[in-house]
Amino acid sequence: MSVEQRLAKRMGRIEGSGVRRMFDLIATMKDPINLSIGQADYDAPEEMKEAAIRAIRAGYNRYTPTQGLKVLGERVLDHLEARRGARPESVLMTSGVSGGLLLSMMALLDPGDEVLIPDPYFVMYRNVLALVGAEVRTYDLYPKRDGEGWRPDLEEMAARVGPRTKAILCNSPSNPTGGMLREEDIDRILTLAEAHGLWVLSDEIYDHFSYDFPFASFVPRMERWNRCLVFGGFSKTWGVPGWRLGWAVGPEDVLDAMKLLQQYTFVCCPAPLQHGALAAFDLDMSAHLKAYRRKRDLVYEGLKEDFRIERPEGSFYAFPAYPEGWSEKDFLEAALERKLLIVPGSAFSNRNTNFRLSFAAPDDKLAEGIEILRDLARRGR
Ligand code: PMP
C-alpha cells in the first residue's frame, strides 16, 4: 500500500511549500547567501525575552483561557485602537496568524464555498482553503504597466465573484510582492463585499513594515461592514515567529465559534510567551523599520537597471521578474550554483515569471546577492 493510499484523501489536496523545501536545502549548504527567509533577521527585544523568562520562573506554565490572557487581549485592542482609530468588537489570541486563518476558515466555510485570494498569494492560503474543502479563485495583482505596483483591479475582482463566493482574502503589505492596498482599494473591496454579502479576511501581519505612506487597515472599516476579520501578530514586527502568537479581531459571534474550535485544536497559546508579549506594546521598534526601509532601497536601486521590478512599498520582499532569456528552473539553478537562495515565484502564483527575494537579511549578504543577480541578468543577454 502506497503512503497516499494509507493517508486521508485530504492530504492529496495539499502540497509541501516551496519555501520549506528551500529550508531543507539550506541545511545542507555552507555559508549560503540566503534571501529566501520569511522572518525578520533581528532577534526578539530583551524586554520580551526577560518577561517570558520571568513568567516561566513565576510558574505561569499552565493553560491560559482558550481565548488568551484577558490582559493581553485588552492590550491588543488598545494597540489597534491607538494605531487605527477604532476598537474592534472582540479579540482571540491565536497560534500565530496561521492558527487564526485556519480557525476562521473552519468556522466560516463549507465544502464547495469559493474564496477569492490574490495571485501572487502567501502559500498557506491555497493549501488551508483546500484542507477545508473550499474552492480557490484568484484575483490578479500583476502590474499591467511597469511602475503601477501590485494592486488588485477592482473590476476584475468583481467579475470573479460568483454565486458560491463566500469571502475575499486580502494581504497588505503583501508576501510575496511587497505591494500595499490604498484606502480607496479597501473602500472598493468593502463595497463589493456589501453588494454580495461576502466576508473579508484581511491578513495584516506586516502592518508595521510600511515604507512610503501610512498603512491602510480594514480595522477602522469594521463598523461599516461587520463581516470582516482582521489577523495580526507578533511574529514579524517583534522578531518572535517561534513564539506562535497572533490575534484575530472581528465580530464576537464568529470569534466565539473560532474559540470553540481552538478548544479542540490548539487549546491556548503558550502561557509564558503570552506574558512575554505583554511587554511588546511599550517598545519602540522604529529603528528596525528604518533599517528595513534602507534595505528596501538597497534592493530596489540595486536591481532596477537589470530587472523588471516594482518598488516594494511594505513587508520585506521584492518580486522581480526573471530576466529575459532565463527560465525559472535555469535561473534558480544558476543562483544556487553561486550559493544564492531565492524562492521561485511559482510557489506563490499560477505564473512562473517572477521570483521572491527577501530583504530580511544582513546588508553584506544583500549586497552580495544583488551582485550575483545583476551578473546573471547580464550574462543572459
Ligand atoms: N501571513 C503572511 C502573509 C505571512 O507571510 C506569514 C508568515 N510567513 C504568516 C501569515 C504566518 O505568520 P504567523 O507566524 O503569525 O503564523
PDB file of all heavy atoms in Angstrom, residues 46-79:
ATOM      1  N   GLU A  46      15.029  42.367  24.256  1.00  0.00           N
ATOM      2  CA  GLU A  46      15.383  41.801  25.569  1.00  0.00           C
ATOM      3  C   GLU A  46      14.212  41.873  26.550  1.00  0.00           C
ATOM      4  O   GLU A  46      14.005  40.958  27.340  1.00  0.00           O
ATOM      5  CB  GLU A  46      16.584  42.564  26.168  1.00  0.00           C
ATOM      6  CG  GLU A  46      17.905  42.313  25.467  1.00  0.00           C
ATOM      7  CD  GLU A  46      18.266  40.833  25.376  1.00  0.00           C
ATOM      8  OE1 GLU A  46      18.107  40.122  26.389  1.00  0.00           O
ATOM      9  OE2 GLU A  46      18.675  40.397  24.285  1.00  0.00           O
ATOM     10  N   GLU A  47      13.458  42.975  26.501  1.00  0.00           N
ATOM     11  CA  GLU A  47      12.343  43.153  27.449  1.00  0.00           C
ATOM     12  C   GLU A  47      11.337  42.010  27.325  1.00  0.00           C
ATOM     13  O   GLU A  47      10.794  41.543  28.323  1.00  0.00           O
ATOM     14  CB  GLU A  47      11.613  44.479  27.200  1.00  0.00           C
ATOM     15  CG  GLU A  47      12.432  45.722  27.492  1.00  0.00           C
ATOM     16  CD  GLU A  47      13.294  46.170  26.312  1.00  0.00           C
ATOM     17  OE1 GLU A  47      13.570  45.350  25.396  1.00  0.00           O
ATOM     18  OE2 GLU A  47      13.715  47.334  26.307  1.00  0.00           O
ATOM     19  N   MET A  48      11.084  41.579  26.088  1.00  0.00           N
ATOM     20  CA  MET A  48      10.126  40.487  25.881  1.00  0.00           C
ATOM     21  C   MET A  48      10.709  39.163  26.350  1.00  0.00           C
ATOM     22  O   MET A  48      10.029  38.362  26.991  1.00  0.00           O
ATOM     23  CB  MET A  48       9.713  40.408  24.409  1.00  0.00           C
ATOM     24  CG  MET A  48       8.806  41.564  23.994  1.00  0.00           C
ATOM     25  SD  MET A  48       8.492  41.605  22.223  1.00  0.00           S
ATOM     26  CE  MET A  48       7.416  40.186  21.996  1.00  0.00           C
ATOM     27  N   LYS A  49      11.993  38.956  26.052  1.00  0.00           N
ATOM     28  CA  LYS A  49      12.627  37.699  26.483  1.00  0.00           C
ATOM     29  C   LYS A  49      12.612  37.612  28.001  1.00  0.00           C
ATOM     30  O   LYS A  49      12.269  36.572  28.578  1.00  0.00           O
ATOM     31  CB  LYS A  49      14.076  37.647  25.987  1.00  0.00           C
ATOM     32  CG  LYS A  49      14.222  37.544  24.495  1.00  0.00           C
ATOM     33  CD  LYS A  49      15.635  37.088  24.171  1.00  0.00           C
ATOM     34  CE  LYS A  49      16.304  37.978  23.187  1.00  0.00           C
ATOM     35  NZ  LYS A  49      17.690  37.649  22.902  1.00  0.00           N
ATOM     36  N   GLU A  50      13.007  38.729  28.656  1.00  0.00           N
ATOM     37  CA  GLU A  50      13.049  38.728  30.131  1.00  0.00           C
ATOM     38  C   GLU A  50      11.660  38.482  30.707  1.00  0.00           C
ATOM     39  O   GLU A  50      11.504  37.737  31.674  1.00  0.00           O
ATOM     40  CB  GLU A  50      13.604  40.066  30.642  1.00  0.00           C
ATOM     41  CG  GLU A  50      15.099  40.238  30.435  1.00  0.00           C
ATOM     42  CD  GLU A  50      15.931  39.118  31.061  1.00  0.00           C
ATOM     43  OE1 GLU A  50      15.529  38.596  32.116  1.00  0.00           O
ATOM     44  OE2 GLU A  50      16.956  38.749  30.462  1.00  0.00           O
ATOM     45  N   ALA A  51      10.653  39.107  30.127  1.00  0.00           N
ATOM     46  CA  ALA A  51       9.289  38.951  30.655  1.00  0.00           C
ATOM     47  C   ALA A  51       8.830  37.494  30.529  1.00  0.00           C
ATOM     48  O   ALA A  51       8.189  36.951  31.441  1.00  0.00           O
ATOM     49  CB  ALA A  51       8.332  39.889  29.915  1.00  0.00           C
ATOM     50  N   ALA A  52       9.202  36.844  29.416  1.00  0.00           N
ATOM     51  CA  ALA A  52       8.816  35.439  29.222  1.00  0.00           C
ATOM     52  C   ALA A  52       9.556  34.541  30.219  1.00  0.00           C
ATOM     53  O   ALA A  52       8.968  33.617  30.807  1.00  0.00           O
ATOM     54  CB  ALA A  52       9.113  35.010  27.793  1.00  0.00           C
ATOM     55  N   ILE A  53      10.851  34.826  30.415  1.00  0.00           N
ATOM     56  CA  ILE A  53      11.648  34.009  31.351  1.00  0.00           C
ATOM     57  C   ILE A  53      11.104  34.178  32.778  1.00  0.00           C
ATOM     58  O   ILE A  53      10.941  33.202  33.522  1.00  0.00           O
ATOM     59  CB  ILE A  53      13.145  34.398  31.259  1.00  0.00           C
ATOM     60  CG1 ILE A  53      13.709  33.967  29.909  1.00  0.00           C
ATOM     61  CG2 ILE A  53      13.943  33.782  32.414  1.00  0.00           C
ATOM     62  CD1 ILE A  53      15.032  34.608  29.527  1.00  0.00           C
ATOM     63  N   ARG A  54      10.815  35.437  33.130  1.00  0.00           N
ATOM     64  CA  ARG A  54      10.239  35.690  34.473  1.00  0.00           C
ATOM     65  C   ARG A  54       8.933  34.915  34.652  1.00  0.00           C
ATOM     66  O   ARG A  54       8.691  34.340  35.707  1.00  0.00           O
ATOM     67  CB  ARG A  54       9.960  37.195  34.664  1.00  0.00           C
ATOM     68  CG  ARG A  54      11.145  37.994  35.195  1.00  0.00           C
ATOM     69  CD  ARG A  54      10.678  39.337  35.784  1.00  0.00           C
ATOM     70  NE  ARG A  54       9.804  40.087  34.903  1.00  0.00           N
ATOM     71  CZ  ARG A  54      10.213  40.925  33.948  1.00  0.00           C
ATOM     72  NH1 ARG A  54      11.519  41.140  33.776  1.00  0.00           N
ATOM     73  NH2 ARG A  54       9.358  41.571  33.192  1.00  0.00           N
ATOM     74  N   ALA A  55       8.143  34.875  33.588  1.00  0.00           N
ATOM     75  CA  ALA A  55       6.846  34.188  33.675  1.00  0.00           C
ATOM     76  C   ALA A  55       7.036  32.685  33.910  1.00  0.00           C
ATOM     77  O   ALA A  55       6.333  32.069  34.717  1.00  0.00           O
ATOM     78  CB  ALA A  55       6.033  34.439  32.413  1.00  0.00           C
ATOM     79  N   ILE A  56       8.021  32.102  33.230  1.00  0.00           N
ATOM     80  CA  ILE A  56       8.294  30.663  33.436  1.00  0.00           C
ATOM     81  C   ILE A  56       8.701  30.434  34.893  1.00  0.00           C
ATOM     82  O   ILE A  56       8.182  29.546  35.572  1.00  0.00           O
ATOM     83  CB  ILE A  56       9.409  30.163  32.484  1.00  0.00           C
ATOM     84  CG1 ILE A  56       8.886  30.132  31.043  1.00  0.00           C
ATOM     85  CG2 ILE A  56       9.909  28.777  32.904  1.00  0.00           C
ATOM     86  CD1 ILE A  56       9.897  29.700  30.000  1.00  0.00           C
ATOM     87  N   ARG A  57       9.623  31.293  35.390  1.00  0.00           N
ATOM     88  CA  ARG A  57      10.102  31.130  36.770  1.00  0.00           C
ATOM     89  C   ARG A  57       8.980  31.336  37.777  1.00  0.00           C
ATOM     90  O   ARG A  57       8.961  30.723  38.839  1.00  0.00           O
ATOM     91  CB  ARG A  57      11.229  32.134  37.052  1.00  0.00           C
ATOM     92  CG  ARG A  57      12.467  31.865  36.236  1.00  0.00           C
ATOM     93  CD  ARG A  57      13.746  31.948  37.092  1.00  0.00           C
ATOM     94  NE  ARG A  57      14.852  31.317  36.388  1.00  0.00           N
ATOM     95  CZ  ARG A  57      15.674  31.955  35.562  1.00  0.00           C
ATOM     96  NH1 ARG A  57      15.537  33.251  35.368  1.00  0.00           N
ATOM     97  NH2 ARG A  57      16.624  31.299  34.957  1.00  0.00           N
ATOM     98  N   ALA A  58       8.055  32.230  37.442  1.00  0.00           N
ATOM     99  CA  ALA A  58       6.968  32.535  38.382  1.00  0.00           C
ATOM    100  C   ALA A  58       5.856  31.480  38.317  1.00  0.00           C
ATOM    101  O   ALA A  58       4.863  31.584  39.026  1.00  0.00           O
ATOM    102  CB  ALA A  58       6.404  33.920  38.088  1.00  0.00           C
ATOM    103  N   GLY A  59       6.033  30.483  37.452  1.00  0.00           N
ATOM    104  CA  GLY A  59       5.072  29.380  37.430  1.00  0.00           C
ATOM    105  C   GLY A  59       3.902  29.557  36.482  1.00  0.00           C
ATOM    106  O   GLY A  59       2.901  28.845  36.590  1.00  0.00           O
ATOM    107  N   TYR A  60       4.045  30.489  35.515  1.00  0.00           N
ATOM    108  CA  TYR A  60       2.956  30.626  34.529  1.00  0.00           C
ATOM    109  C   TYR A  60       3.151  29.592  33.419  1.00  0.00           C
ATOM    110  O   TYR A  60       3.410  29.933  32.269  1.00  0.00           O
ATOM    111  CB  TYR A  60       2.929  32.043  33.949  1.00  0.00           C
ATOM    112  CG  TYR A  60       2.485  33.089  34.940  1.00  0.00           C
ATOM    113  CD1 TYR A  60       3.383  34.030  35.450  1.00  0.00           C
ATOM    114  CD2 TYR A  60       1.160  33.131  35.378  1.00  0.00           C
ATOM    115  CE1 TYR A  60       2.972  34.984  36.375  1.00  0.00           C
ATOM    116  CE2 TYR A  60       0.743  34.083  36.301  1.00  0.00           C
ATOM    117  CZ  TYR A  60       1.651  34.997  36.784  1.00  0.00           C
ATOM    118  OH  TYR A  60       1.245  35.928  37.686  1.00  0.00           O
ATOM    119  N   ASN A  61       3.045  28.332  33.806  1.00  0.00           N
ATOM    120  CA  ASN A  61       3.345  27.258  32.858  1.00  0.00           C
ATOM    121  C   ASN A  61       2.128  26.379  32.577  1.00  0.00           C
ATOM    122  O   ASN A  61       2.258  25.318  31.986  1.00  0.00           O
ATOM    123  CB  ASN A  61       4.507  26.424  33.398  1.00  0.00           C
ATOM    124  CG  ASN A  61       5.757  27.274  33.559  1.00  0.00           C
ATOM    125  OD1 ASN A  61       6.204  27.908  32.602  1.00  0.00           O
ATOM    126  ND2 ASN A  61       6.294  27.350  34.771  1.00  0.00           N
ATOM    127  N   ARG A  62       0.978  26.847  33.028  1.00  0.00           N
ATOM    128  CA  ARG A  62      -0.243  26.060  32.847  1.00  0.00           C
ATOM    129  C   ARG A  62      -1.051  26.599  31.674  1.00  0.00           C
ATOM    130  O   ARG A  62      -0.653  27.570  31.032  1.00  0.00           O
ATOM    131  CB  ARG A  62      -1.050  26.141  34.133  1.00  0.00           C
ATOM    132  CG  ARG A  62      -0.208  25.661  35.307  1.00  0.00           C
ATOM    133  CD  ARG A  62      -0.986  25.639  36.581  1.00  0.00           C
ATOM    134  NE  ARG A  62      -0.372  24.680  37.473  1.00  0.00           N
ATOM    135  CZ  ARG A  62      -0.956  24.190  38.545  1.00  0.00           C
ATOM    136  NH1 ARG A  62      -2.182  24.585  38.862  1.00  0.00           N
ATOM    137  NH2 ARG A  62      -0.334  23.317  39.291  1.00  0.00           N
ATOM    138  N   TYR A  63      -2.203  25.992  31.448  1.00  0.00           N
ATOM    139  CA  TYR A  63      -3.091  26.517  30.398  1.00  0.00           C
ATOM    140  C   TYR A  63      -3.516  27.937  30.749  1.00  0.00           C
ATOM    141  O   TYR A  63      -3.673  28.270  31.919  1.00  0.00           O
ATOM    142  CB  TYR A  63      -4.381  25.697  30.304  1.00  0.00           C
ATOM    143  CG  TYR A  63      -4.207  24.242  29.974  1.00  0.00           C
ATOM    144  CD1 TYR A  63      -4.737  23.264  30.804  1.00  0.00           C
ATOM    145  CD2 TYR A  63      -3.544  23.842  28.818  1.00  0.00           C
ATOM    146  CE1 TYR A  63      -4.612  21.908  30.506  1.00  0.00           C
ATOM    147  CE2 TYR A  63      -3.417  22.489  28.516  1.00  0.00           C
ATOM    148  CZ  TYR A  63      -3.953  21.533  29.358  1.00  0.00           C
ATOM    149  OH  TYR A  63      -3.824  20.211  29.058  1.00  0.00           O
ATOM    150  N   THR A  64      -3.732  28.735  29.718  1.00  0.00           N
ATOM    151  CA  THR A  64      -4.427  30.013  29.927  1.00  0.00           C
ATOM    152  C   THR A  64      -5.853  29.799  29.415  1.00  0.00           C
ATOM    153  O   THR A  64      -6.144  28.744  28.825  1.00  0.00           O
ATOM    154  CB  THR A  64      -3.779  31.164  29.131  1.00  0.00           C
ATOM    155  OG1 THR A  64      -4.080  31.001  27.736  1.00  0.00           O
ATOM    156  CG2 THR A  64      -2.281  31.227  29.351  1.00  0.00           C
ATOM    157  N   PRO A  65      -6.745  30.777  29.597  1.00  0.00           N
ATOM    158  CA  PRO A  65      -8.045  30.629  28.944  1.00  0.00           C
ATOM    159  C   PRO A  65      -7.860  30.424  27.438  1.00  0.00           C
ATOM    160  O   PRO A  65      -6.873  30.905  26.861  1.00  0.00           O
ATOM    161  CB  PRO A  65      -8.727  31.974  29.220  1.00  0.00           C
ATOM    162  CG  PRO A  65      -8.033  32.531  30.419  1.00  0.00           C
ATOM    163  CD  PRO A  65      -6.632  32.014  30.366  1.00  0.00           C
ATOM    164  N   THR A  66      -8.792  29.719  26.805  1.00  0.00           N
ATOM    165  CA  THR A  66      -8.703  29.419  25.366  1.00  0.00           C
ATOM    166  C   THR A  66      -8.467  30.677  24.543  1.00  0.00           C
ATOM    167  O   THR A  66      -7.686  30.685  23.591  1.00  0.00           O
ATOM    168  CB  THR A  66     -10.035  28.793  24.881  1.00  0.00           C
ATOM    169  OG1 THR A  66     -10.360  27.737  25.772  1.00  0.00           O
ATOM    170  CG2 THR A  66      -9.923  28.274  23.481  1.00  0.00           C
ATOM    171  N   GLN A  67      -9.157  31.756  24.909  1.00  0.00           N
ATOM    172  CA  GLN A  67      -9.066  32.985  24.107  1.00  0.00           C
ATOM    173  C   GLN A  67      -7.784  33.769  24.379  1.00  0.00           C
ATOM    174  O   GLN A  67      -7.514  34.760  23.710  1.00  0.00           O
ATOM    175  CB  GLN A  67     -10.290  33.878  24.328  1.00  0.00           C
ATOM    176  CG  GLN A  67     -10.434  34.441  25.716  1.00  0.00           C
ATOM    177  CD  GLN A  67     -11.205  33.504  26.652  1.00  0.00           C
ATOM    178  OE1 GLN A  67     -11.195  32.276  26.471  1.00  0.00           O
ATOM    179  NE2 GLN A  67     -11.853  34.056  27.644  1.00  0.00           N
ATOM    180  N   GLY A  68      -6.986  33.325  25.369  1.00  0.00           N
ATOM    181  CA  GLY A  68      -5.753  34.027  25.711  1.00  0.00           C
ATOM    182  C   GLY A  68      -5.930  34.807  27.002  1.00  0.00           C
ATOM    183  O   GLY A  68      -7.056  34.961  27.496  1.00  0.00           O
ATOM    184  N   LEU A  69      -4.795  35.300  27.527  1.00  0.00           N
ATOM    185  CA  LEU A  69      -4.859  36.114  28.748  1.00  0.00           C
ATOM    186  C   LEU A  69      -5.725  37.336  28.485  1.00  0.00           C
ATOM    187  O   LEU A  69      -5.551  38.011  27.467  1.00  0.00           O
ATOM    188  CB  LEU A  69      -3.460  36.597  29.129  1.00  0.00           C
ATOM    189  CG  LEU A  69      -2.436  35.555  29.561  1.00  0.00           C
ATOM    190  CD1 LEU A  69      -1.081  36.242  29.770  1.00  0.00           C
ATOM    191  CD2 LEU A  69      -2.887  34.826  30.815  1.00  0.00           C
ATOM    192  N   LYS A  70      -6.605  37.614  29.431  1.00  0.00           N
ATOM    193  CA  LYS A  70      -7.515  38.753  29.224  1.00  0.00           C
ATOM    194  C   LYS A  70      -6.721  40.059  29.054  1.00  0.00           C
ATOM    195  O   LYS A  70      -7.010  40.858  28.170  1.00  0.00           O
ATOM    196  CB  LYS A  70      -8.474  38.852  30.428  1.00  0.00           C
ATOM    197  CG  LYS A  70      -9.594  39.844  30.195  1.00  0.00           C
ATOM    198  CD  LYS A  70     -10.705  39.631  31.207  1.00  0.00           C
ATOM    199  CE  LYS A  70     -11.833  40.610  31.177  1.00  0.00           C
ATOM    200  NZ  LYS A  70     -12.029  41.457  30.090  1.00  0.00           N
ATOM    201  N   VAL A  71      -5.680  40.236  29.896  1.00  0.00           N
ATOM    202  CA  VAL A  71      -4.892  41.476  29.790  1.00  0.00           C
ATOM    203  C   VAL A  71      -4.226  41.616  28.423  1.00  0.00           C
ATOM    204  O   VAL A  71      -4.099  42.723  27.895  1.00  0.00           O
ATOM    205  CB  VAL A  71      -3.761  41.603  30.854  1.00  0.00           C
ATOM    206  CG1 VAL A  71      -4.285  42.078  32.162  1.00  0.00           C
ATOM    207  CG2 VAL A  71      -2.965  40.331  30.993  1.00  0.00           C
ATOM    208  N   LEU A  72      -3.810  40.488  27.846  1.00  0.00           N
ATOM    209  CA  LEU A  72      -3.141  40.566  26.541  1.00  0.00           C
ATOM    210  C   LEU A  72      -4.148  40.936  25.452  1.00  0.00           C
ATOM    211  O   LEU A  72      -3.859  41.797  24.600  1.00  0.00           O
ATOM    212  CB  LEU A  72      -2.438  39.242  26.223  1.00  0.00           C
ATOM    213  CG  LEU A  72      -1.626  39.217  24.929  1.00  0.00           C
ATOM    214  CD1 LEU A  72      -0.567  40.318  24.903  1.00  0.00           C
ATOM    215  CD2 LEU A  72      -0.961  37.855  24.711  1.00  0.00           C
ATOM    216  N   GLY A  73      -5.305  40.319  25.487  1.00  0.00           N
ATOM    217  CA  GLY A  73      -6.359  40.670  24.524  1.00  0.00           C
ATOM    218  C   GLY A  73      -6.699  42.148  24.608  1.00  0.00           C
ATOM    219  O   GLY A  73      -6.838  42.834  23.577  1.00  0.00           O
ATOM    220  N   GLU A  74      -6.789  42.663  25.839  1.00  0.00           N
ATOM    221  CA  GLU A  74      -7.105  44.095  26.014  1.00  0.00           C
ATOM    222  C   GLU A  74      -5.987  44.967  25.452  1.00  0.00           C
ATOM    223  O   GLU A  74      -6.229  46.003  24.836  1.00  0.00           O
ATOM    224  CB  GLU A  74      -7.323  44.424  27.506  1.00  0.00           C
ATOM    225  CG  GLU A  74      -8.618  43.855  28.094  1.00  0.00           C
ATOM    226  CD  GLU A  74      -9.885  44.376  27.389  1.00  0.00           C
ATOM    227  OE1 GLU A  74      -9.944  45.585  27.083  1.00  0.00           O
ATOM    228  OE2 GLU A  74     -10.792  43.558  27.128  1.00  0.00           O
ATOM    229  N   ARG A  75      -4.736  44.518  25.664  1.00  0.00           N
ATOM    230  CA  ARG A  75      -3.602  45.293  25.125  1.00  0.00           C
ATOM    231  C   ARG A  75      -3.631  45.318  23.594  1.00  0.00           C
ATOM    232  O   ARG A  75      -3.305  46.327  22.979  1.00  0.00           O
ATOM    233  CB  ARG A  75      -2.253  44.699  25.590  1.00  0.00           C
ATOM    234  CG  ARG A  75      -1.896  44.899  27.042  1.00  0.00           C
ATOM    235  CD  ARG A  75      -1.871  46.343  27.486  1.00  0.00           C
ATOM    236  NE  ARG A  75      -0.874  47.196  26.833  1.00  0.00           N
ATOM    237  CZ  ARG A  75       0.376  47.378  27.257  1.00  0.00           C
ATOM    238  NH1 ARG A  75       0.799  46.775  28.344  1.00  0.00           N
ATOM    239  NH2 ARG A  75       1.199  48.171  26.604  1.00  0.00           N
ATOM    240  N   VAL A  76      -4.005  44.193  22.985  1.00  0.00           N
ATOM    241  CA  VAL A  76      -4.109  44.141  21.521  1.00  0.00           C
ATOM    242  C   VAL A  76      -5.179  45.129  21.055  1.00  0.00           C
ATOM    243  O   VAL A  76      -4.954  45.918  20.124  1.00  0.00           O
ATOM    244  CB  VAL A  76      -4.442  42.711  21.030  1.00  0.00           C
ATOM    245  CG1 VAL A  76      -4.822  42.715  19.551  1.00  0.00           C
ATOM    246  CG2 VAL A  76      -3.269  41.773  21.271  1.00  0.00           C
ATOM    247  N   LEU A  77      -6.324  45.124  21.724  1.00  0.00           N
ATOM    248  CA  LEU A  77      -7.401  46.044  21.329  1.00  0.00           C
ATOM    249  C   LEU A  77      -6.984  47.502  21.548  1.00  0.00           C
ATOM    250  O   LEU A  77      -7.258  48.370  20.701  1.00  0.00           O
ATOM    251  CB  LEU A  77      -8.697  45.721  22.089  1.00  0.00           C
ATOM    252  CG  LEU A  77      -9.336  44.365  21.731  1.00  0.00           C
ATOM    253  CD1 LEU A  77     -10.532  44.071  22.638  1.00  0.00           C
ATOM    254  CD2 LEU A  77      -9.764  44.318  20.262  1.00  0.00           C
ATOM    255  N   ASP A  78      -6.299  47.780  22.673  1.00  0.00           N
ATOM    256  CA  ASP A  78      -5.799  49.148  22.924  1.00  0.00           C
ATOM    257  C   ASP A  78      -4.849  49.584  21.804  1.00  0.00           C
ATOM    258  O   ASP A  78      -4.905  50.704  21.306  1.00  0.00           O
ATOM    259  CB  ASP A  78      -4.999  49.222  24.243  1.00  0.00           C
ATOM    260  CG  ASP A  78      -5.879  49.030  25.471  1.00  0.00           C
ATOM    261  OD1 ASP A  78      -7.118  49.126  25.340  1.00  0.00           O
ATOM    262  OD2 ASP A  78      -5.320  48.763  26.557  1.00  0.00           O
ATOM    263  N   HIS A  79      -3.947  48.656  21.451  1.00  0.00           N
ATOM    264  CA  HIS A  79      -2.937  48.915  20.418  1.00  0.00           C
ATOM    265  C   HIS A  79      -3.628  49.244  19.084  1.00  0.00           C
ATOM    266  O   HIS A  79      -3.284  50.217  18.409  1.00  0.00           O
ATOM    267  CB  HIS A  79      -2.071  47.656  20.296  1.00  0.00           C
ATOM    268  CG  HIS A  79      -1.131  47.622  19.141  1.00  0.00           C
ATOM    269  ND1 HIS A  79       0.039  48.336  19.118  1.00  0.00           N
ATOM    270  CD2 HIS A  79      -1.175  46.936  17.962  1.00  0.00           C
ATOM    271  CE1 HIS A  79       0.670  48.089  17.978  1.00  0.00           C
ATOM    272  NE2 HIS A  79      -0.043  47.247  17.267  1.00  0.00           N
TER     273      HIS A  79
END
